[in-house]
Amino acid sequence: MDEREPQDSQPGRAPWLPVVTVGLSALAAYAVYRWFGNHSSKVVPAAQIEPVSDFDVERFVGDWYEIARIEKGLGKPLTRSRIEYELQDDGSLSITMRGFHAGTHRWVESTGNARFVGSPHFGAMKASFLGPFYEGYHIVAIDQNYQWAMIMGDTTDSFKLLSREPVLDGETTELLLYQAELMGVEAERIHWVMQDGVNPTGQW
């Protein structure tokens, strides 16, 4: 579902103007995003972040529930959020994130792309959700049956906990939180995503 409003054609406008406008808007948005990310408490590069070395991308693709994350940027957090990964012909991953926005009471969707840094069997990637700007997107822990995964960026300001099911058992959750804290993640900053299976506004 694409919630972008169609743009009216405006005869007489220079053909390069919309491109420049979009480019400047993207740069401004990225600057705000980076400012908020870099001014969080204790955001430091995490030398302890080590991607898994036996990653199987074909087992990783598909749908995941977002169980927990560290919020970045502006606006209210999404609920019932899910992420879909698809393997592309060039070996990269397309990323589609969907969730219900509590502020606007609408379903929203965003897309991105992740590329491996080196071998695809090493879970180190760079992902982009805003034009040419790429950031770390690393699989730092994953279930042997690919039923849960923990993702971090290049700093402790980026954290996601994913599961194939809407809930993750308590023992696994505690172990993953302990591992995340060892990497420098502040547990009090982690937002737990509501995944109750109820979707009163329609389904994807």
Side-chain angles (χ1 to χ4, degrees), residues 100-116:
F100 188 72
H101 194 282
T104 61
H105 299 283
R106 299 174 67 185
W107 287 95
V108 296
E109 176 179 297
S110 63
T111 59
N113 180 268
R115 299 182 180 278
F116 285 97

Side-chain angles (χ1 to χ4, degrees), residues 88-153:
Q88 304 300 297
D89 292 339
D90 63 358
S92 66
L93 284 176
S94 67
I95 306 172
T96 303
M97 299 187 296
R98 305 179 178 99
F100 188 72
H101 194 282
T104 61
H105 299 283
R106 299 174 67 185
W107 287 95
V108 296
E109 176 179 297
S110 63
T111 59
N113 180 268
R115 299 182 180 278
F116 285 97
V117 179
S119 169
H121 296 296
F122 186 57
M125 293 181 279
K126 292 288 186 181
S128 173
F129 298 94
L130 188 62
F133 305 105
Y134 280 81
E135 294 188 342
Y137 199 83
H138 310 307
I139 314 297
V140 296
I142 196 159
D143 174 49
Q144 62 179 356
N145 296 316
Y146 284 68
Q147 295 303 299
W148 52 256
M150 186 161 65
I151 300 174
M152 292 184 66

Side-chain angles (χ1 to χ4, degrees), residues 39-111:
H39 286 73
S40 302
S41 63
K42 299 181 182 179
V43 177
V44 295
Q48 298 93 333
I49 294 177
E50 184 175 348
V52 297
S53 58
D54 55 351
F55 185 63
D56 187 339
V57 65
E58 292 187 356
R59 298 181 66 191
F60 179 74
V61 296
D63 290 330
W64 294 84
Y65 290 91
E66 191 175 35
I67 301 298
R69 64 175 176 264
I70 286 181
E71 294 291 349
K72 295 200 297 183
L74 305 175
K76 294 184 178 181
L78 298 180
T79 62
R80 302 181 177 93
S81 52
R82 299 176 70 170
I83 303 178
E84 180 183 7
Y85 299 94
E86 291 188 53
L87 185 61
Q88 304 300 297
D89 292 339
D90 63 358
S92 66
L93 284 176
S94 67
I95 306 172
T96 303
M97 299 187 296
R98 305 179 178 99
F100 188 72
H101 194 282
T104 61
H105 299 283
R106 299 174 67 185
W107 287 95
V108 296
E109 176 179 297
S110 63
T111 59

